[in-house]
Amino acid sequence: MSDPNQQQLPPGWAAEWDGTHQRYLFIETATGRTQWEPPVLSAELQPMAPTSSPPPSNVHHAKRRQYAAGQTQAYYGTESTLGSGGGYPAPPSQQQQPNQLFTPGLAAENQFQQQQQQQPQLQPGQQQYYGGVQPEPEYINGPQYGQQQQQQMGTLADQFGQMNMGQKGLRLYTTNLLTSPPDPRELHNPPPEIVLPPNSCISPNPSANADPSYQRCTINAIPTSNSLLKKANIPFGLVLTPYRSLKEGDEAVPVVTDTVIARCRRCRTYINPYVQFIDGGNRWRCCMCSLSNEVPQLFDWDQVRNAPGDRWARPELNYGVVEFVAPTEYMARPPQPAVYVFLIDVSHSAIQSGMVATATRTILENLDRLPDEDGRTKVAIIAFDVSLYFFSMPPGTTDSSMLVVSDVEDVFLPKPTDLLVNLAEARASLEALLGRLGDMFKENHIIGSALGPALQAAFQLMSPIGGKIIVLSSSLPSVGAGALKNREDPKILGTTKESGLLQAASPFYKTFAIECSRGQVSVDMFLFSAAYQDVATLACLPHYTAGQTYFYPAFNARTEDARKFAHEFGEVLAQPIMLEAVMRVRASKNLRMSSFHGNFFVRSTDLLAMPAVPQDLSYAIEVQIEDTITAPFVVFQTAVLHTTCYGERRIRVVTTALPTTGNLSEVFASADQVAIATLLANKAVERCITHKLEDSRDALFNKTVEILTAYKASMTAAGAGASAQLAVSENLKMLPVLVLGLLKNVGIRQSSQIPPDLRAYAQALLTSLPAQLLMPYIYPTFYSLHNMSPECGTVGEQGVILPPPLPLSSERLERHGLYLIEDGQTIFLWVGRDAVPQLIADVFNLPNYEVLRGGKTTLPLLENAFSQRVNAIVQKTREMRRGPYWPHLYIVKEDGEPALRLWALSCLIQDRSDVLPSYQQFISQLKDKVNGGNY
Amino acid sequence: MVFFIIMFSDLECDYINPIDLCNKLNQFVLPEIGAHGFLTLLFLVSGQWVAFLINAPLLALNVNKVRLSNHMYDATEIFRTLPAHKKEAFIKLGFYLVTFFYYLFRMIAVLIAEGDA
Ligand SMILES: [Zn+2]
């Protein structure tokens, strides 16, 4: 890793390891001159020298040597040396008890005490759990260091590239998948750098290209022709989250307020940092179609100060993500107010599970957070079982009256007014109603659901305006339009017929969705049933109306479910939604958007209709190269025309510029594995529904084989022949394991045990989660807590410090350990069966392992440092990503309930499980295919 | 069929939105299938074996589509399935033309035969 020979040494230099001094000796081969300091090439590199890699790498090496070979190899080396359990614990304990991994209870306890005695001086007041007392967080420093070094190598390589060859381009590093196991940290690396040709951007601002969290491409150097793309065989597409939420520390999107919007006359592209000003700045040349356009008259005028302004300071020329305030030409009607209609299931099961009580309480608590800056927001509440219950809330009163409609065949509104009320005006009666609603139906024993008629009623109520319907339902729709049958049949699970269960059972949910889309109505589904609810069919509605589905199987308000649901529901309510939106992606000449994946309705060949855009949903678009591209760089521009929830028409424009290349190795070197995996997930789910689940898995596997085959054929010496290696570029190293994660995901996995509702929900997540949430969902995070270094769980410069993630293999589970496994939706706290009582007492406040119970829980926050650190890590895990999700925390005992255990273990995707291969097996399957293919 | 193809092209060029398109086309789907089925049945009853056999595969295809209830055009999927729909429309058009001339030829042949007798 730190061998300077692999890094960029100036030509004519070599490095040699000096055993006695434990550092590298640098030799100038021509003169034979030697020196300890790493040689530098030119003055430009000089300032980097002190920080550049060799000196710290020596320290690193020296330290690493003190440890048993197994420990470092476990991380860096081959899997075969790992054995059962690996040499994970730190050397001190290993010396005392060579077999400590498998010593049960007593011995372990002894050891714990020994260590307590042995090392109190290390961490005064800090309790250390045995097994991994590490005098220094060696394995944390190591990898982090390595990462830094890689980045440095990257920049170094770039500088060399620029200096020596005077051309753009990324350097390709080949790795062998057989000998380099996946490293979870690499998923957090930024995508390959976008190296644009000089002078392509008129702004020096680093944000001139959109941040990858808004928009990223699967390839950061676009092949100039389709045949070149075919040679690389990498799926070509865009992954975008135009309406990403802002976490603390994120820069807000700059807004252009003067309604001067410069667009290309021909292709309607918005002006951006990649256009060129010509003709003395009076005209600008479009970066997509090269048409010369006039600069608008007021472009250089500062309307706020009413004085000449600085053109170069305009946000749209400096930022890749901007928002324009749109003039009236962009409005079909005056901006609509935000409208929320809540459809609450009040049937027996909904009341009994406590869903109604939790939901009404949450709405009540979040009324202040509902977007209502301009006081125009409207709200309505409709309850339903097999009848519909409307609530009339006349303004200025505090009471409401209930109107029952039991004719669900032909839905009508019982009253023309006061059903949909202004939030601010009817606040008092709304609060009173929400407080009473649970009690009103407390004794309701009616079973059944008229969801379809309720939806129709809500649509009638709001259709002139549009807005959001929020459905809270805990049973299968049984009467009126859209009634569904229970089609769950355990016999066909795992067979080829299974995909039928993932298709919509009734056309109602599609036709109604289209109606909603036209009426600018978006639907969010919150589903709670313990029995079959046909999530696959119900999810169609959010899918085509740009909403989202949330599923809480077997919801029970007496458990942690209430907290999870209340948090997520609250976040959804508080989201500042974009209304009445249309999205269009434009690209340079000869690039065409060919197919679209995500929650929206495709209204014309390239126009996506979204009645409301929730935050943090991801969309994937496949791109085709139609003809040879001659431009040195291409531009993708996504424009979302929308109405904000405070009544302003705006256009959000996200611009990404990417260089083109005729060089295959640059195509490979610039491939973005995270974006590729996101696109593949979308394609795989679509295939599950239109074809069979099996086809979808085969397609995923074959795509991976194709990429690897293409790489082998064109980038390695082996060419078309057989090879003992499985080569891929460094930046695609995680792709196979991500594909394996997809193949093992609940939505796609081969199994005859997965209820169709869970599958359908997982598929909804796979197609809508942004990369930040999707990556852990297919490649979960795995921490070891019992032996984490003392600073983990404390607050560092960037918030709570997390332990280093481990590879997802149960080999890492020790019997006395405490582990955290999380996939962004669920957190598992794995407790080994030999966990010492002290550990259990410190974390769970219980005397020993035996009395600990598995299942959903809330961790107590205890008066000891370790408990606080574990709590801090759980808290951070829940908060660090965007999106409303609040993962459940499950305690999983090593010898506990098998279903829960298997569920937690299914997150460890590098293991073999049933018919699904381990990572090693998967890689060797890939290798066989790549070698045995007909290339 | 010509109408179908024109409509598909319109959709590609953005002259019509997919919802209207599907509504318009779906009106004609069942009548078309019905008319074709009726014609085929007539051939069967009147003992025109060759004509019946020519038409039987299409009839089977239509029956299967109706059975799986995917004979209607789905506005939510139309853009993904558009190329396939267009191809199908062209093939059907060709088929109807060929069979039409075959019927014409047979009819004239019969008329001539009658005239001779
Ligand atoms: Zn243009």
Side-chain angles (χ1 to χ4, degrees):
Chain A
M1 194 151 210
S2 52
D3 181 3
N5 279 321
Q6 288 167 11
Q7 302 166 30
Q8 301 299 318
L9 277 179
W13 282 88
E16 213 167 81
W17 177 255
D18 186 350
T20 49
H21 291 88
Q22 297 285 312
R23 59 191 292 190
Y24 278 100
L25 187 65
F26 295 89
I27 307 158
E28 195 178 1
T29 42
T31 60
R33 193 162 62 87
T34 60
Q35 64 178 52
W36 291 115
E37 289 75 32
V40 280
L41 185 67
S42 68
E44 273 165 83
L45 280 177
Q46 211 90 50
M48 284 189 66
T51 56
S52 86
S53 22
S57 87
N58 298 341
V59 180
H60 179 53
H61 253 260
K63 262 189 206 158
R64 209 200 273 181
R65 294 216 160 183
Q66 293 162 4
Y67 293 88
Q71 191 194 350
T72 41
Q73 273 190 357
Y75 229 110
Y76 302 104
T78 50
E79 290 270 284
S80 55
T81 59
L82 254 168
S84 51
Y88 195 72
S93 47
Q94 244 176 359
Q95 281 156 13
Q96 290 154 19
Q97 300 215 348
N99 289 330
Q100 59 99 25
L101 289 190
F102 300 103
T103 36
L106 240 183
E109 239 170 285
N110 286 341
Q111 195 200 345
F112 176 65
Q113 281 160 5
Q114 273 175 12
Q115 292 198 351
Q116 284 281 74
Q117 291 157 6
Q118 194 188 11
Q119 295 179 328
Q121 74 279 12
L122 272 175
Q123 270 82 38
Q126 179 79 53
Q127 267 163 335
Q128 284 286 326
Y129 297 102
Y130 72 102
V133 184
Q134 298 196 340
E136 270 178 275
E138 166 62 18
Y139 67 112
I140 299 179
N141 291 340
Q144 276 179 350
Y145 167 66
Q147 240 176 6
Q148 273 174 9
Q149 191 187 28
Q150 258 187 3
Q151 281 172 1
Q152 284 181 358
M153 272 168 64
T155 47
L156 216 58
D158 282 345
Q159 293 197 359
F160 267 93
Q162 308 246 332
M163 272 187 315
N164 296 348
M165 291 158 281
Q167 63 173 36
K168 54 176 178 149
L170 296 160
R171 191 161 285 213
L172 188 71
Y173 296 96
T174 299
T175 43
N176 182 0
L177 285 170
L178 297 177
T179 53
S180 55
D183 182 343
R185 286 175 306 255
E186 284 184 17
L187 283 181
H188 301 288
N189 289 354
E193 204 189 341
I194 297 172
V195 191
L196 285 168
N199 300 329
S200 45
C201 181
I202 55 174
S203 162
N205 194 321
S207 310
N209 235 344
D211 189 84
S213 56
Y214 285 104
Q215 177 163 284
R216 67 205 290 178
C217 184
T218 55
I219 315 171
N220 277 345
I222 307 299
T224 44
S225 68
N226 201 26
S227 59
L228 189 65
L229 178 64
K230 280 265 156 55
K231 264 189 210 147
N233 241 323
I234 297 172
F236 183 22
L238 280 182
V239 174
L240 43 136
T241 308
Y243 204 30
R244 192 201 77 175
S245 61
L246 298 171
K247 278 254 174 195
E248 264 172 63
D250 285 347
E251 221 177 309
V253 175
V255 182
V256 183
T257 48
D258 59 8
T259 66
V260 177
I261 302 177
R263 295 178 73 179
C264 174
R265 267 180 297 130
R266 181 158 59 198
C267 65
R268 309 303 293 147
T269 297
Y270 294 82
I271 200 164
N272 60 62
Y274 300 94
V275 301
Q276 269 182 318
F277 284 102
I278 46 173
D279 210 1
N282 289 328
R283 302 181 77 82
W284 59 280
R285 191 180 291 285
C286 173
C287 55
M288 307 243 186
C289 68
S290 317
L291 186 77
S292 142
N293 292 283
E294 255 174 60
V295 173
Q297 280 182 347
L298 289 172
F299 198 67
D300 295 315
W301 188 257
D302 187 335
Q303 291 180 11
V304 181
R305 291 189 295 119
N306 217 5
D310 178 11
R311 170 186 298 186
W312 306 104
R314 287 186 72 91
E316 67 264 46
L317 296 182
N318 285 294
Y319 290 92
V321 187
V322 283
E323 236 171 49
F324 292 98
V325 175
T328 41
E329 296 97 279
Y330 290 82
M331 297 175 200
R333 57 174 177 173
Q336 56 172 330
V339 175
Y340 293 87
V341 176
F342 296 96
L343 289 185
I344 305 175
D345 183 352
V346 290
S347 64
H348 182 69
S349 58
I351 297 285
Q352 285 308 308
S353 68
M355 183 276 279
V356 177
T358 316
T360 46
R361 202 190 63 229
T362 310
I363 300 173
L364 196 57
E365 283 166 3
N366 286 288
L367 280 181
D368 280 330
R369 294 174 76 201
L370 268 185
D372 190 22
E373 276 95 340
D374 56 356
R376 296 196 303 155
T377 301
K378 289 177 187 290
V379 177
I381 292 177
I382 302 173
F384 66 96
D385 42 32
V386 292
S387 316
L388 307 183
Y389 308 93
F390 294 86
F391 299 94
S392 153
M393 293 170 274
T397 59
T398 53
D399 32 276
S400 52
S401 50
M402 185 167 87
L403 303 144
V404 185
V405 173
S406 44
D407 175 17
V408 295
E409 292 307 320
D410 185 19
V411 180
F412 61 94
L413 296 179
K415 206 174 164 213
T417 54
D418 298 338
L419 297 177
L420 183 65
V421 294
N422 184 296
L423 175 59
E425 286 168 17
R427 181 70 182 257
S429 47
L430 197 62
E431 279 180 4
L433 170 65
L434 287 167
R436 283 187 304 127
L437 194 69
D439 289 334
M440 286 161 73
F441 293 95
K442 203 165 65 185
E443 302 299 321
N444 194 353
H445 293 296
I446 297 172
I447 295 168
S449 154
L451 178 61
L455 283 165
Q456 287 171 332
F459 183 73
Q460 278 185 32
L461 194 58
M462 68 202 297
S463 60
I465 312 172
K468 191 141 201 129
I469 300 179
I470 296 178
V471 177
L472 304 141
S473 166
S474 56
S475 39
L476 188 71
S478 59
V479 289
L484 297 170
K485 288 193 189 67
N486 186 346
R487 51 179 180 153
E488 187 179 29
D489 180 2
K491 281 198 291 291
I492 68 168
L493 296 183
T495 68
T496 50
K497 284 189 187 146
E498 192 178 354
S499 64
L501 295 181
L502 301 169
Q503 291 160 357
S506 154
F508 172 80
Y509 293 91
K510 275 190 176 179
T511 48
F512 184 71
I514 292 171
E515 226 177 296
C516 284
S517 184
R518 281 195 137 176
Q520 304 297 346
V521 172
S522 167
V523 183
D524 274 352
M525 285 269 175
F526 288 80
L527 305 174
F528 302 90
S529 178
Y532 179 70
Q533 201 176 1
D534 207 341
V535 174
T537 304
L538 296 182
C540 274
L541 209 40
H543 181 104
Y544 294 113
T545 59
Q548 177 65 308
T549 308
Y550 301 87
F551 186 35
Y552 306 86
F555 179 84
N556 183 345
R558 279 170 286 281
T559 66
E560 265 68 27
D561 287 352
R563 190 153 170 214
K564 176 182 169 67
F565 164 58
H567 180 272
E568 295 180 358
F569 188 34
E571 289 298 307
V572 170
L573 292 179
Q575 274 180 9
I577 53 172
M578 305 208 271
L579 301 158
E580 209 178 341
V582 285
M583 178 160 94
R584 181 171 259 140
V585 181
R586 295 183 175 86
S588 295
K589 214 159 71 181
N590 294 330
L591 290 174
R592 191 175 69 88
M593 307 298 131
S594 60
S595 61
F596 304 88
H597 307 272
N599 291 0
F600 44 69
F601 174 61
V602 189
R603 204 160 72 190
S604 80
T605 38
D606 62 343
L607 190 71
L608 310 176
M610 304 196 264
V613 191
Q615 284 188 322
D616 296 316
L617 282 203
S618 168
Y619 312 94
I621 299 172
E622 285 173 72
V623 186
Q624 262 182 4
I625 301 174
E626 293 197 305
D627 205 352
T628 307
I629 303 166
T630 48
F633 68 96
V634 295
V635 179
F636 289 97
Q637 188 175 67
T638 304
V640 189
L641 175 63
H642 64 276
T643 303
T644 61
C645 43
Y646 42 89
E648 201 171 29
R649 197 75 174 148
R650 285 192 176 189
I651 311 150
R652 177 166 289 202
V653 177
V654 183
T655 313
T656 304
L658 298 168
T660 55
T661 179
N663 184 340
L664 197 55
S665 80
E666 269 181 34
V667 177
F668 277 114
S670 71
D672 178 353
Q673 53 193 0
V674 172
I676 295 176
T678 312
L679 181 62
L680 286 179
N682 276 286
K683 288 179 68 142
V685 170
E686 185 180 293
R687 220 181 156 79
C688 280
I689 295 166
T690 53
H691 294 67
K692 294 177 202 134
L693 281 157
E694 203 183 333
D695 290 346
S696 157
R697 288 187 290 263
D698 289 348
L700 267 176
F701 183 78
N702 291 336
K703 189 73 222 172
T704 319
V705 171
E706 279 173 18
I707 295 172
L708 293 173
T709 311
Y711 192 84
K712 183 173 117 259
S714 51
M715 289 295 128
T716 66
S723 163
Q725 297 198 327
L726 187 58
V728 78
S729 58
E730 184 72 34
N731 52 309
L732 286 175
K733 202 177 113 191
M734 292 299 281
L735 186 63
V737 83
L738 290 175
V739 171
L740 182 65
L742 265 177
L743 289 172
K744 293 192 174 187
N745 187 281
V746 178
I748 298 169
R749 179 163 75 210
Q750 178 181 0
S751 165
S752 53
Q753 308 289 326
I754 299 172
D757 275 356
L758 289 183
R759 237 202 233 289
Y761 180 58
Q763 293 193 342
L765 290 180
L766 284 174
T767 50
S768 60
L769 292 181
Q772 192 196 36
L773 280 158
L774 184 70
M775 285 308 113
Y777 192 54
I778 58 180
Y779 189 85
T781 325
F782 180 26
Y783 304 121
S784 165
L785 298 184
H786 62 288
N787 56 2
M788 62 184 173
S789 67
E791 79 268 16
C792 295
T794 59
V795 179
E797 272 173 32
Q798 288 157 356
V800 175
I801 300 168
L802 293 172
L806 302 176
L808 293 173
S809 158
S810 58
E811 285 164 348
R812 294 307 180 104
L813 292 172
E814 292 174 40
R815 293 175 74 170
H816 56 259
L818 177 70
Y819 298 88
L820 189 144
I821 312 169
E822 60 96 15
D823 65 359
Q825 303 293 319
T826 322
I827 302 174
F828 298 102
L829 210 51
W830 176 280
V831 191
R833 68 173 77 186
D834 292 337
V836 286
Q838 187 64 46
L839 177 81
I840 305 292
D842 279 354
V843 180
F844 306 105
N845 202 17
L846 290 168
N848 56 38
Y849 176 76
E850 278 67 38
V851 293
L852 179 67
R853 298 203 18 203
K856 275 176 235 177
T857 190
T858 306
L859 275 188
L861 186 57
L862 303 174
E863 288 292 315
N864 69 72
F866 191 71
S867 165
Q868 283 156 13
R869 283 161 59 204
V870 170
N871 269 294
I873 289 171
V874 170
Q875 182 76 3
K876 163 106 176 176
T877 306
R878 281 178 172 153
E879 288 172 356
M880 65 183 170
R881 302 192 183 100
R882 299 187 185 93
Y885 300 102
W886 193 85
H888 263 316
L889 179 73
Y890 284 87
I891 294 177
V892 186
K893 290 175 72 171
E894 190 183 347
D895 53 3
E897 196 191 335
L900 187 58
R901 251 188 76 232
L902 286 176
W903 184 15
L905 286 177
S906 73
C907 287
L908 300 178
I909 57 157
Q910 279 166 244
D911 281 342
R912 203 174 77 89
S913 60
D914 290 341
V915 287
L916 304 166
S918 72
Y919 179 68
Q920 286 302 314
Q921 289 170 319
F922 182 67
I923 287 292
S924 61
Q925 280 176 10
L926 285 173
K927 183 181 152 237
D928 291 347
K929 270 274 181 186
V930 168
N931 279 329
N934 34 7
Y935 283 87
Chain B
M1 273 305 121
V2 178
F3 172 65
F4 275 47
I5 291 165
I6 291 170
M7 292 299 273
F8 285 140
S9 308
D10 275 4
L11 180 67
E12 274 188 331
C13 303
D14 242 357
Y15 294 139
I16 187 171
N17 77 56
I19 307 163
D20 294 339
L21 170 104
C22 291
N23 289 343
K24 277 188 184 165
L25 294 193
N26 282 338
Q27 293 170 15
F28 298 99
V29 170
L30 277 182
E32 183 209 323
I33 291 176
H36 180 256
F38 177 70
L39 200 67
T40 314
L41 204 71
L42 272 186
F43 288 135
L44 179 68
V45 173
S46 61
Q48 300 283 344
W49 294 111
V50 179
F52 172 72
L53 285 179
I54 291 173
N55 282 292
L58 183 61
L59 184 70
L61 186 81
N62 283 340
V63 168
N64 194 37
K65 266 191 178 175
V66 174
R67 199 174 53 85
L68 294 173
S69 62
N70 61 357
H71 53 291
M72 293 295 190
Y73 294 103
D74 181 348
T76 57
E77 305 283 326
I78 190 85
F79 282 103
R80 209 162 44 72
T81 49
L82 192 60
H85 285 319
K86 270 180 94 172
K87 210 165 100 188
E88 193 189 293
F90 271 114
I91 292 173
K92 268 191 181 172
L93 180 68
F95 177 79
Y96 287 145
L97 275 178
V98 168
T99 47
F100 174 71
F101 283 114
Y102 172 75
Y103 307 146
L104 210 66
F105 164 74
R106 290 283 299 173
M107 196 176 79
I108 293 165
V110 169
L111 285 179
I112 292 169
E114 276 176 357
D116 285 353

